[in-house]
Amino acid sequence: MKIDLTCPVELWQYTTPAESNPVCTFMLNNLSDKVVTSVQTTLVCYGAGEQLLFRQVERVQGLSAGAGERFSLTIAPSQWEAVTTVDLVIEKVWFDDATIWRRGSAALTEYESNALPAGRRLDQLRFVAGPDAVGYPEWQRRVWVCVCGRANDLHNDRCCRCERRRDTVFATCSRENVEQLIAVHEQKLHDAARAAREDASRLTEERERERLAQDKHRRTLRRLAIAAACLVVLLATGLLWGLPALRYAQASSLLGSGQYEQARTALKALQGYGNTATLLQECDYRQATDLAASAADADLARAVTLFEGLGDYQDSAAQAQAARYRAGTLALDAGRYDAAAADFQSLGDYSDSRDQFREAQYRQADSMAQNESYVAARILFADLGDYRDAAARKAECSYALGAAALASGDYETAVQQLSDAGQAQDAPELYKQASYLLAEQCRLNGDFERAGKLYQQAGDYSDAKIRANGSLYELARERMQAGDYAKATELFQSVVPYLDSETQGWECVYQQALAAVNTGDDDTAVMLLASIPKHEKGAALLQECRYRLAAKMVATGDRKTAISLYSQLGDYQDASTKLSELRYQAAEEALAAGRYQDAAALYESLGKYQDSADKWNQCRYALAAAALEQKNYRDAIEGFAALGTYQDSAKQADAATFALALQLKTSGNTDAAVELLKSLDDSTEAKQQLREITLSEADRAQAAGDLARASELYLALGDYGDAPEKYNACQYALAMQKKDAGDMRAAMTLFAALGDYQDAAAQAAACEQEAYGRYAAPARKAYAAADWPTVITTLETFDDSNLPAAYRDLAGMYAEACYQYAEALFAAGKPYEALPYYQRIPEYKDVATKKLTRRAYLILGVWENADGTLRATFRDDGTCTLFDGQTMYFSVDGYALNTGATPETLALTHKLTTLTEDSLSLRVLADSRVTQLHRIADAQALATATATPATATATPATVTVAPATATPAPKATVQPTVKPTAAPTPTTQQTAGPAAGNV
């Protein structure tokens, strides 16, 4: 049999076609740790005489087989007539993580099946290993075969199919172990059967005694009958009809009163009268039932005997088991463990009898261990396996036996027992000591080999390492001098790297190889010499032997082995030439047989040898053509593309690409199909398919309401089909959507582009009026009349970016109107009414650099002295709060600060000695006192933080200012917006305010 050990799935079972179901069904097993989503197989069908009929490649998709799961494939053969056998070859396996396994060109691994024929041996194996067992595990040349029948790589320590551990399989499922376990099991069954037979024998003897007593009784009756013959004759009628009934009634009465022995005797005396046979069974059943309630061993044993003797009468079988179970329980509680174990063992699977049997055995072992009967206790604990702490208790017994043996000088026993003691107490150290002392004995007795190995077991105890190396090394030298090179090799290797043991071991191997060469056994010589590659003479001899062995393999027809040997010889003699010849021959055979994959690999390895390069291309071309024929388009594309300009490879690659694109299109994967078709620039058919796909995609987009996508696709189609009409319809609908959404500019552009389509021109004009016209006419009129407030109001919400040529004069009109209006207000002495209009256009002209840096604007905000005791606030409504906390009106005239209770009563009260962005020096004219202040809040922050300013009245409201915090607020800068919503609506009527003066 052959197997590909690298394949992540394996064939488990299969069914062949029948008249009712003309398909092959294959059951496969996922050996990997990933989910299998697709499998490509080759179904190879053979006829009579292993004649190849045909190959059929199939790929099955849509799978979802998890790690370790089994899954099925169904394949309908193209023909079935004359097919006798089939092979299923796994070519590729796809996984859910997008990885792909491909069958390589390596040869399959041969192995022998270990399957046992149906019979007793197979039944015994399955009793031990489970129902999936097919044969004993085997070591073979290249694989190890599991008990489940799976061949595994020699390096795998676990079976790929059943996941049994290799060591466990060979330890528990070998033929010897199975036979031993079966023998133990059969012995237990034999013991149970013998006990049952003994019980049955006792019951038979008892019944025989009762029968003899009956016979004696009958003889007595006959004598009495003869003596009283006359009386019998006279009373014949009465005796015939009255006496049996009377005795039957008496027996029934005895049975009812629980006098079972008397009742049994009376019923037996009736000799089958009426239903006495049934009453006898009832008598035994009732007596057994009463006895089963007793706690006496004899009563329970008698109850079991009676119940078992009743066979299937009522529930006698179940009652017998219950009575025996109770007897075992009582024996266990009383410490009679042998009796308890016997009862529970005979019950088999009844209730928890198996557990109770192990418990009885455990307690018995525990009792023995406490009484220092360690040998027996150890045997019982070992038999218990993993029950409770039996393994640890077994180790303790071994430790006790080993320690005692060590103390008494029985080092052999000590080593054996302490090796089984594991880590119990100081067992490892005692084990080393015992090994050392036993090694000393062996050395004195001249057994140096065993002494050396025992010294090695002793590890780091005393000078064990030195003694071990010395003993084994000297013995190895002796064996080497005596010509026993195999033994010497073993000994030298056991002490590496002691002295020159490694090189001496090589020399011994070399001598063995020389002996093999002298006998013509080059195979053995090669195996030996390959293990000592650093031995100079060995390396040279290895080349010579490989060369000769390769020639022998060629002569015997084993080309595969010969190729392997020549490939290891490098440039030795003409090995490379012979290797090329053999590979070429193998490639030619593979090519002739249609095994293109194998042939291609061989031709590729040959490089430019003869016509190998051309043959390699020929094989690859055949593989790609086969993939194309089998509709495996991706492999075909890959194969033809790799061939470049070979023959018509480029044309075939395009054909495979086109076929794959059609396949993807049919399956609904149009994106991938389009990418493939685009790569076929020169193909008319590809262009036609692209147009069809694009048109379908556009129609779907239009139906789904994605008009922009549909328009893009229709436009790309140019004049193909009804694409132009559909494009115009989409654009018109899209324009209507924009119009309905209020985006008149976009709608106008779309309508205008449609020309004379439907009413697009009228719609474009209406959208233009709504987007531009209704703003342009009033704004232009007001601008011409210098009516800045009207211009501002009209263009407040107008976007003047990207304007058409007819409306480009509106660009900047809003900013200019704000600028002019602000300038007019400022010139009229209304700086704080002008401020919002400056703030709308901070980037316009010199607003930021000049207009907003006037002292009337710089002073706005909250100012505070260094220690926070004085604070001044200037607001953009023309009011201020100075140091005394009183709110009044103010104006700035140059460096003069005018204040007053009303705008009409302003007078010069302060001088602005210094005024910058961050500092203010304020001199009070009344006392010439100068106060240095720094800004803690700008005008914008002040507007946000304060309440609505007081209206201009004769007496301004007093505003209380909170004291400054310890940490001054950071300087805030005005963040102007072009059109703030908080700005006042401009009017032509100017409100009175404090005069700005000459600022």
Side-chain angles (χ1 to χ4, degrees):
M1 301 181 71
K2 296 182 179 180
I3 187 172
D4 185 349
L5 295 174
T6 67
C7 186
V9 300
E10 68 167 347
L11 179 61
W12 182 264
Q13 296 173 338
Y14 71 92
T15 60
T16 55
E19 292 183 2
S20 60
N21 187 23
V23 296
C24 290
T25 300
F26 298 92
M27 182 65 71
L28 289 90
N29 187 22
N30 181 7
L31 303 176
S32 71
D33 56 358
K34 297 183 286 189
V35 176
V36 173
T37 59
S38 180
V39 175
Q40 180 175 309
T41 63
T42 299
L43 178 65
V44 187
C45 295
Y46 300 92
E50 295 297 315
Q51 178 186 4
L52 176 64
L53 297 180
F54 67 92
R55 299 173 184 266
Q56 181 174 332
V57 178
E58 295 283 346
R59 178 177 176 184
V60 180
Q61 304 186 53
L63 301 175
S64 181
E69 290 185 1
R70 295 177 188 171
F71 59 98
S72 62
L73 305 179
T74 301
I75 299 176
S78 58
Q79 68 179 67
W80 190 248
E81 295 77 8
V83 174
T84 58
T85 58
V86 298
D87 279 343
L88 187 73
V89 181
I90 310 297
E91 302 289 353
K92 291 184 181 180
V93 180
W94 286 262
F95 300 100
D96 63 342
D97 61 354
T99 58
I100 303 175
W101 175 88
R102 291 181 172 86
R103 185 168 69 91
S105 59
L108 299 178
T109 302
E110 294 188 2
Y111 73 100
E112 296 293 332
S113 173
N114 65 338
L116 292 172
R120 175 176 173 78
R121 284 202 301 161
L122 180 58
D123 293 340
Q124 290 177 342
L125 175 62
R126 287 178 174 172
F127 177 81
V128 174
D132 64 332
V134 300
Y136 301 117
E138 293 180 358
W139 288 101
Q140 297 187 11
R141 182 179 180 184
R142 297 182 179 179
V143 298
W144 65 273
V145 185
C146 183
V147 68
C148 69
R150 165 71 186 189
N152 298 275
D153 189 274
L154 291 174
H155 298 93
N156 289 354
D157 61 354
R158 189 180 292 275
C159 178
C160 294
R161 178 185 296 167
C162 65
E163 296 191 348
R164 291 181 174 93
R165 293 193 64 83
R166 180 181 61 195
D167 296 342
T168 303
V169 168
F170 280 94
T172 61
C173 301
S174 65
R175 180 173 181 176
E176 296 78 9
N177 190 63
V178 169
E179 290 177 350
Q180 182 179 358
L181 291 174
I182 292 298
V184 171
H185 178 70
E186 289 179 344
Q187 183 61 42
K188 290 182 179 180
L189 293 178
H190 175 72
D191 293 342
R194 183 181 61 187
R197 286 195 301 271
E198 290 174 354
D199 290 341
S201 177
R202 286 194 297 271
L203 182 59
T204 302
E205 291 175 0
E206 183 178 345
R207 289 181 176 175
E208 182 62 22
R209 287 195 297 270
E210 291 176 354
R211 188 185 64 77
L212 292 174
Q214 277 186 331
D215 291 344
K216 183 179 179 181
H217 181 65
R218 290 192 189 99
R219 287 194 298 272
T220 302
L221 289 177
R222 280 197 296 271
R223 286 195 295 269
L224 290 174
I226 294 171
C230 294
L231 182 60
V232 170
V233 173
L234 292 174
L235 301 176
T237 304
L239 291 174
L240 287 173
W241 297 101
L243 184 58
L246 178 61
R247 292 170 63 189
Y248 180 85
Q250 290 175 343
S252 297
S253 177
L254 290 171
L255 177 59
S257 63
Q259 301 179 58
Y260 304 116
E261 297 298 338
Q262 295 87 334
R264 186 180 293 107
T265 301
L267 288 168
K268 289 178 179 179
L270 287 171
Q271 300 181 358
Y273 175 80
N275 64 339
T276 52
T278 303
L279 285 180
L280 276 171
Q281 288 181 309
E282 182 64 21
C283 180
D284 288 350
Y285 183 85
R286 291 188 184 184
Q287 185 178 11
T289 302
D290 291 347
L291 291 171
S294 171
D297 294 339
D299 290 343
L300 288 168
R302 173 67 173 158
V304 171
T305 302
L306 289 171
F307 278 131
E308 289 178 345
L310 287 169
D312 58 355
Y313 180 74
Q314 295 190 30
D315 60 344
S316 296
Q319 291 287 3
Q321 288 181 309
R324 191 179 291 277
Y325 183 88
R326 187 162 185 268
T329 303
L330 293 173
L332 181 61
D333 293 340
R336 290 181 284 105
Y337 304 121
D338 282 335
D343 285 333
F344 288 127
Q345 186 176 21
S346 67
L347 284 169
D349 292 329
Y350 177 77
S351 185
D352 61 344
S353 295
R354 293 193 182 278
D355 290 337
Q356 293 285 23
F357 169 71
R358 295 203 293 175
E359 180 62 22
Q361 190 172 342
Y362 181 88
R363 293 190 189 181
Q364 186 176 17
D366 179 65
S367 176
M368 290 177 175
Q370 292 180 11
N371 294 324
E372 299 185 358
S373 298
Y374 296 117
V375 175
R378 182 183 180 280
I379 293 173
L380 290 174
F381 280 130
D383 191 49
L384 283 168
D386 59 354
Y387 182 73
R388 289 175 58 173
D389 61 343
R393 298 297 302 276
K394 168 183 169 288
E396 290 177 1
C397 292
S398 296
Y399 176 82
L401 291 170
L406 180 62
S408 64
D410 184 1
Y411 305 130
E412 191 80 53
T413 302
V415 168
Q416 179 183 353
Q417 295 295 336
L418 290 169
S419 66
D420 291 338
Q423 300 298 317
Q425 299 186 40
D426 58 342
E429 296 303 318
L430 292 182
Y431 174 71
K432 294 177 183 178
Q433 181 183 354
S435 298
Y436 184 89
L437 295 174
L438 182 58
E440 291 282 273
Q441 287 184 351
C442 292
R443 184 176 61 82
L444 293 175
N445 295 332
D447 190 353
F448 298 108
E449 181 178 358
R450 192 182 180 207
K453 293 180 178 178
L454 286 167
Y455 281 131
Q456 288 179 330
Q457 288 180 191
D460 57 358
Y461 183 82
S462 186
D463 59 347
K465 290 184 177 179
I466 297 175
R467 286 181 175 270
N469 292 337
S471 298
L472 295 174
Y473 182 84
E474 290 303 322
L475 183 61
R477 295 281 299 176
E478 290 180 8
R479 294 293 87 209
M480 183 177 180
Q481 292 172 4
D484 188 357
Y485 297 113
K487 188 62 181 179
T489 300
E490 176 189 342
L491 293 169
F492 277 129
Q493 290 176 347
S494 69
V495 295
V496 171
Y498 182 72
L499 298 178
D500 60 345
S501 55
E502 186 173 32
T503 56
Q504 291 290 350
W506 295 347
E507 183 63 26
C508 290
V509 172
Y510 177 73
Q511 293 299 328
Q512 293 178 73
L514 280 178
V517 169
N518 292 333
T519 60
D521 189 358
D522 289 316
D523 201 345
T524 300
V526 167
M527 180 186 69
L528 290 168
L529 294 170
S531 66
I532 55 170
K534 295 183 180 180
H535 193 281
E536 185 175 349
K537 292 182 179 179
L541 183 58
L542 176 61
Q543 296 288 79
E544 179 183 338
C545 291
R546 277 178 173 161
Y547 186 85
R548 282 199 305 270
L549 186 58
K552 292 178 183 178
M553 294 299 103
V554 172
T556 58
D558 189 354
R559 183 191 294 127
K560 181 179 179 182
T561 304
I563 289 175
S564 176
L565 290 167
Y566 279 131
S567 64
Q568 300 175 65
L569 287 170
D571 296 330
Y572 183 77
Q573 294 188 21
D574 59 346
S576 59
T577 302
K578 291 185 178 294
L579 175 62
S580 296
E581 291 175 356
L582 290 174
R583 282 178 171 168
Y584 189 82
Q585 292 172 11
E588 291 286 280
E589 287 185 7
L591 178 60
R595 293 184 286 108
Y596 300 114
Q597 192 75 40
D598 297 339
L602 289 166
Y603 284 128
E604 183 181 11
S605 68
L606 286 167
K608 296 181 179 180
Y609 181 78
Q610 294 187 19
D611 59 347
S612 295
D614 185 67
K615 292 287 182 67
W616 180 44
N617 287 335
Q618 180 182 342
C619 291
R620 291 195 296 163
Y621 186 91
L623 288 170
L628 180 59
E629 182 180 355
Q630 296 160 7
K631 300 182 180 180
N632 188 2
Y633 300 122
R634 294 190 186 278
D635 286 351
I637 294 169
E638 181 181 345
F640 284 126
L643 285 165
T645 59
Y646 180 77
Q647 294 186 13
D648 60 344
S649 296
K651 180 180 178 181
Q652 294 288 0
D654 287 348
T657 302
F658 184 75
L660 178 59
L662 292 182
Q663 186 183 73
L664 292 171
K665 173 189 172 184
T666 303
S667 65
N669 191 356
T670 55
D671 290 340
V674 166
E675 291 300 319
L676 290 173
L677 291 170
K678 285 181 178 178
S679 66
L680 302 173
D681 295 333
D682 299 330
S683 173
T684 304
E685 291 180 337
K687 292 177 180 178
Q688 176 65 20
Q689 288 293 332
L690 272 174
R691 294 191 190 100
E692 290 182 7
I693 293 173
T694 304
L695 183 60
S696 298
E697 186 68 22
D699 290 343
R700 282 195 294 271
Q702 184 180 15
D706 189 354
L707 299 175
R709 172 64 175 163
S711 297
E712 178 184 350
L713 294 171
Y714 286 133
L715 183 62
L717 287 168
D719 296 333
Y720 180 74
D722 58 351
E725 177 63 26
K726 291 183 175 180
Y727 171 76
N728 288 336
C730 287
Q731 287 293 97
Y732 186 88
L734 192 59
M736 290 300 294
Q737 286 182 356
K738 296 292 185 182
K739 179 182 178 182
D740 295 341
D743 189 355
M744 298 299 173
R745 293 189 180 186
M748 183 194 76
T749 302
L750 290 171
F751 280 129
L754 287 170
D756 58 356
Y757 181 77
Q758 295 185 14
D759 62 341
Q763 291 285 0
C767 291
E768 179 183 3
Q769 173 59 27
E770 184 64 23
Y772 303 105
R774 68 187 185 93
Y775 296 100
R780 287 167 175 165
K781 181 179 179 181
Y783 190 85
D787 184 359
W788 311 123
T790 300
V791 174
I792 294 172
T793 303
T794 302
L795 299 179
E796 184 76 27
T797 60
F798 183 73
D799 180 7
D800 61 357
S801 61
N802 301 320
L803 294 174
Y807 300 99
R808 287 177 185 166
D809 61 314
L810 299 180
M813 185 178 289
Y814 174 83
E816 180 62 20
C818 289
Y819 186 87
Q820 293 297 336
Y821 189 45
E823 286 289 278
L825 289 172
F826 193 88
K830 300 175 182 179
Y832 301 119
E833 290 184 28
L835 178 60
Y837 299 100
Y838 284 131
Q839 289 175 333
R840 293 187 183 199
I841 52 172
E843 304 299 328
Y844 190 68
K845 293 185 177 180
D846 59 348
V847 171
T849 58
K850 184 175 181 181
K851 306 302 182 184
L852 290 177
T853 59
R854 293 163 170 160
R855 281 187 287 276
Y857 298 141
L858 283 178
I859 199 171
L860 295 177
V862 182
W863 304 83
E864 191 175 68
N865 65 352
D867 58 7
T869 57
L870 297 175
R871 179 177 293 180
T873 303
F874 298 90
R875 305 178 188 87
D876 59 7
D877 62 350
T879 64
C880 66
T881 302
L882 296 181
F883 307 136
D884 56 1
Q886 184 178 4
T887 298
M888 60 188 69
Y889 287 89
F890 78 96
S891 67
V892 176
D893 184 5
Y895 288 96
L897 175 63
N898 304 307
T899 64
T902 65
E904 294 78 12
T905 60
L906 295 179
L908 179 62
T909 57
H910 299 76
K911 281 289 187 177
L912 304 177
T913 307
T914 302
L915 178 56
T916 66
E917 185 72 24
D918 299 315
S919 62
L920 169 64
S921 296
L922 196 63
R923 181 162 62 85
V924 181
L925 296 181
D927 55 8
S928 298
R929 175 168 49 90
V930 177
T931 302
Q932 299 291 337
L933 303 171
H934 63 276
R935 187 187 299 277
I936 63 172
D938 59 19
Q940 185 176 6
L942 177 64
T944 304
T946 59
T948 303
T951 57
T953 59
T955 304
T958 301
V959 178
T960 302
V961 180
T965 58
T967 303
K971 181 181 73 173
T973 58
V974 177
Q975 300 296 327
T977 57
V978 176
K979 302 167 186 177
T981 57
T985 302
T987 62
T988 55
Q989 300 296 326
Q990 305 299 318
T991 58
N998 182 19
V999 181

